[in-house]
Amino acid sequence: MTEAKGLKEVWRTLAVLVALAVVLPAIIPGLLNEGVAAKGGDWKSVTVLYTTDIKGKIEPCG
Amino acid sequence: MLDGGDLFGRPNANDREQTRFLCSATGDLGFDAIGLGEKELNYGLPFLMEMIEKYDLPYVNANVRDTKTGELILPEYLVVEKAGIKFGITSVLTQAQKLKSMTDDDLGLEVQAALPVLRELIPRMREEVDSVVLVGHLGEGSTETALKDVVGVDIAVMGHTFRNIKTERVVGDCALFSSAHEGRYIGRADLFIDATDGSVQAIQVESIDLDDKIENDPDMLERVNGFKEEMVAFNEAKRSKYPRSLGSEKESYLGDRSCKKCHEDLWASYAESQHMRAFRTIRLKGQNTEPECLVCHTTGYRFMNGYEDERPYNDLINVQCEACHGYGSEHARDGKWAAQAKDSCVVCHDQENSPEFDYATYWEKIKH
């Protein structure tokens, strides 16, 4: 009985973590947006994509 | 979009064609800047310039100069405006690599030390732009050293790496993004940048594995498949210049280990010579599938039952005994030399490949 109760706690914790994993990526940029705005300045959102050392490959081997 | 350099392939004809295709695709992807890597010179400076012009590739570099004129070979930095921010993007190349091409060991180019160049350049860039980006083709350790030494770089992407490195970090006031290696990965950094001073806050950085989970772009897939078909034809045309038409189907190359059984002292002399290292020299240069190289760096490439450059491969790499003396099967049958070995030298040691060849001098190197 004690073991079953312990397992229930584990599942509950896992459920919370899964929910956070889904929700946090959505809300953190918003929070940070507010955070940087609070610092003052003229903050702009920019995405940098980058590659290096492609070495002539057009697709990986295998 | 940024690329840290070494976009080009190895110094051989196959990779050159693949690089040509890659440049056309890269041009269409719309990169904002590409740092110069040493591999970009693998096919010579004229080839690089042809690719830049033909495919509108935004190459940039601040420390490689023409030795004669002292001029930079590429734009010192590029200015790109995104989201109302003026970015200045520059690149420097490591001095650790000698610049050479597949045909020329001296390209007449000088690589200046990166740190003095950056110390002088970055303040000048800051007068013109809001944010300074360094696409440094310096490798892991030297990129960090440069960022600790040089003030004023806001964002840096590291090139000249030999593995995928996922750890982004802050060095001084600079956000340093590590490599996304060999086209297997693409790095993505979502940032907030202060337009007033260029300072950076990263909210998320990830290295995305470009595996089967990422759906192929249908148009690009069609181009890649078309290119592969072209390469098959290209390779067949190259191979057809060296038909396996000499010798006899009835004869066989036995391999140097068979020769050793009766001629251990002669084999020992061969084992010390450059002839036994001939294949290694082309393998190190990535030329070990090039027919024009295989002719003289293997045994019997143009002869029936000679070196096989397709499956099933055989052991006839290097310039073995039979490359000069002919089929071992003939010799084993009657004990005579199958060929006058002396005459065979000039087949490979010709004016183009061995202009200083002199029989007496070269004989001393392989005397047996």
Side-chain angles (χ1 to χ4, degrees), chain B residues 68-106:
Chain B
K68 280 184 187 162
T69 64
E71 298 288 322
L72 288 168
I73 62 167
L74 292 170
E76 189 178 34
Y77 65 92
L78 302 172
V79 177
V80 174
E81 198 163 328
K82 301 273 177 187
I85 299 172
K86 213 188 253 188
F87 292 92
I89 310 171
T90 189
S91 179
V92 280
L93 175 66
T94 175
Q95 280 186 308
Q97 298 284 323
K98 181 173 166 49
L99 296 184
K100 57 183 181 179
S101 75
M102 59 194 271
T103 54
D104 198 347
D105 275 351
D106 183 6

Side-chain angles (χ1 to χ4, degrees), chain B residues 11-172:
Chain B
N12 62 58
N14 270 38
D15 273 32
R16 186 181 58 208
E17 293 311 300
Q18 196 154 305
T19 296
R20 202 186 288 278
F21 172 78
L22 190 61
C23 285
S24 77
T26 302
D28 292 344
L29 287 173
F31 275 82
D32 296 297
I34 307 173
L36 179 74
E38 73 280 0
K39 288 187 169 46
E40 265 69 86
L41 277 314
N42 274 349
Y43 317 115
L45 186 57
F47 181 88
L48 170 63
M49 292 306 179
E50 182 195 329
M51 293 300 104
I52 288 173
E53 192 172 332
K54 196 167 181 181
Y55 301 114
D56 203 16
L57 301 177
Y59 269 97
V60 61
N61 175 274
N63 72 330
V64 177
R65 292 178 182 274
D66 184 303
T67 314
K68 280 184 187 162
T69 64
E71 298 288 322
L72 288 168
I73 62 167
L74 292 170
E76 189 178 34
Y77 65 92
L78 302 172
V79 177
V80 174
E81 198 163 328
K82 301 273 177 187
I85 299 172
K86 213 188 253 188
F87 292 92
I89 310 171
T90 189
S91 179
V92 280
L93 175 66
T94 175
Q95 280 186 308
Q97 298 284 323
K98 181 173 166 49
L99 296 184
K100 57 183 181 179
S101 75
M102 59 194 271
T103 54
D104 198 347
D105 275 351
D106 183 6
L107 300 176
L109 301 174
E110 179 202 358
V111 184
Q112 296 179 295
L115 291 184
V117 166
L118 290 174
R119 279 188 214 117
E120 188 277 326
L121 173 62
I122 302 300
R124 195 150 44 84
M125 288 174 68
R126 289 218 76 96
E127 287 175 13
E128 187 185 347
V129 301
D130 305 315
S131 179
V132 171
V133 180
L134 172 66
V135 187
H137 198 82
L138 297 170
E140 289 184 56
S142 299
T143 305
E144 283 211 38
T145 305
L147 294 175
K148 284 173 186 165
D149 186 281
V150 179
V151 178
V153 179
D154 299 301
I155 299 168
V157 172
M158 185 197 299
H160 196 59
T161 56
F162 301 93
R163 62 193 177 113
N164 195 48
I165 310 163
K166 294 183 176 177
T167 318
E168 69 280 0
R169 47 200 173 277
V170 176
V171 182

